[in-house]
Amino acid sequence: MVSIKDIAKKAGVSISTVSYALNGSPKVTEETSAKILAIAKELNYIPNAAARTLRERKTKIIGAFLTDYSGPFFGQLLQGMRETLNNKGYDLIVCTGKESHRFLPEGIIDGAIVLDATFPDEELISYANRGHKLIVLDREIDHPNIDRVLLDNQMGAELAVEFLIGKGHENIVVVTGPAGSYDSDQRLEAVKKLLETHPSISLSVIHGDFDKASGERTAEQIIQTYTKPVAVFCFNDEMAIGMYNYIETTDYVVGKDIHIIGFDNIEVAHYVRPRLSTIHYSKQDWGAKAAEKLIRLIGNEKYEIQKVNVELLEGDSVGKVD
């Protein structure tokens, strides 16, 4: 591998002069700088990124730690992060699995955005104690080096349940996400609290996994015990789509027998029929806000961002019950 020593030898200058030229320093004349850069190009010189990182103590790379990154939800979230980071001179890498956690202590990344329930709080706090800057999207941690950008899960859950109640439904089923999911726990807590003021409404809880398969299992379970119209609040759209898939194989009808509302407003929800009622928020905006807040945290700037707003999108998957 070509080093700056090789460039200095061929140019007949000192190593420090080569270093100044490669870094665009005004300490070197334009003529000398042009000569050095031409020789570097001729020799196919590649800067040592590791050495530069040690010198500058930054990589200009941010890590997004996710449980998974497949599907439309994560694609839009990552797009928001990437666009904001690129505009600020940073690059983004997507990390999954425990081995990637070492990117923080090894200095491979300058900071991290975390949406990964398998990443323990204790480990995040240990990195923060060493000075690493983190933004979490799925939990609340009180630490000066950790900040958060969260969905307004309470509002979303209340909008969904109040919509069902407004349509006359008194038999409500909620389908949760996996155990330990912050968003799922927040939504379930909000549903239960709201229904404390509606004692006549029956609430059943089915534990899902935020995937289509658990939605299909839910639909099968409901149909096996079906006696009257039921309203189902799926805590994400993928489970709702899974319910659609199973119901299509039966004589039951979405919006007539089984009424469904989801959460996330993923793109495929626009195309199912009847149109899925869901809770909408901008995944791209969520990612952008997380990236902006991390950059401010790295720069030790105060930057207050409210929770990510949500709204109800009414479709035909929920009908009125007399």
Side-chain angles (χ1 to χ4, degrees), residues 24 104 163 320:
L104 277 164
F163 175 57
K320 191 170 182 62

Side-chain angles (χ1 to χ4, degrees), residues 85-116:
L85 291 170
N86 289 170
N87 288 338
K88 300 291 186 178
Y90 286 82
D91 283 327
L92 176 70
I93 59 173
V94 183
C95 312
T96 60
K98 190 169 180 59
E99 285 301 313
S100 64
H101 294 190
R102 61 185 174 84
F103 291 173
L104 277 164
E106 290 182 6
I108 296 173
I109 56 178
D110 291 344
I113 300 170
V114 181
L115 181 59
D116 182 354

Side-chain angles (χ1 to χ4, degrees), residues 190-257:
V191 170
K192 289 181 175 179
K193 185 174 181 179
L194 176 61
L195 291 184
E196 286 177 359
T197 61
H198 297 273
S200 64
I201 293 177
S202 168
L203 174 67
S204 300
V205 178
I206 295 177
H207 297 286
D209 203 28
F210 278 161
D211 59 10
K212 291 179 184 177
S214 54
E216 292 169 357
R217 291 193 299 270
T218 296
E220 181 180 18
Q221 182 176 339
I222 289 173
I223 286 172
Q224 286 176 348
T225 59
Y226 181 89
T227 56
K228 59 183 178 179
V230 58
V232 185
F233 175 23
C234 293
F235 283 2
N236 81 342
D237 285 353
E238 284 211 37
M239 294 190 296
I241 300 302
M243 290 195 66
Y244 269 70
N245 292 344
Y246 186 86
I247 293 169
E248 284 180 357
T249 68
T250 72
D251 294 328
Y252 292 91
V253 178
V254 173
K256 178 182 176 183
D257 305 304

Side-chain angles (χ1 to χ4, degrees), residues 118-194:
T118 67
F119 208 138
D121 285 3
E122 296 76 15
E123 190 177 353
L124 291 172
I125 292 170
S126 73
Y127 295 142
N129 285 338
R130 300 178 211 174
H132 299 292
K133 310 294 187 179
L134 310 168
I135 298 295
V136 292
L137 308 185
D138 59 353
R139 67 195 78 189
E140 299 180 57
I141 300 176
D142 186 17
H143 193 286
N145 289 328
I146 301 176
D147 214 329
R148 56 186 178 264
V149 180
L150 304 174
L151 280 179
D152 195 342
N153 286 301
Q154 178 178 342
M155 177 60 72
E158 289 177 354
L159 287 172
V161 174
E162 287 172 350
F163 175 57
L164 296 177
I165 293 173
K167 291 290 186 177
H169 292 280
E170 295 187 344
N171 183 25
I172 296 177
V173 175
V174 297
V175 190
T176 74
S181 165
Y182 173 85
D183 288 330
S184 178
D185 291 346
Q186 290 283 300
R187 292 167 199 174
L188 182 58
E189 181 181 343
V191 170
K192 289 181 175 179
K193 185 174 181 179
L194 176 61

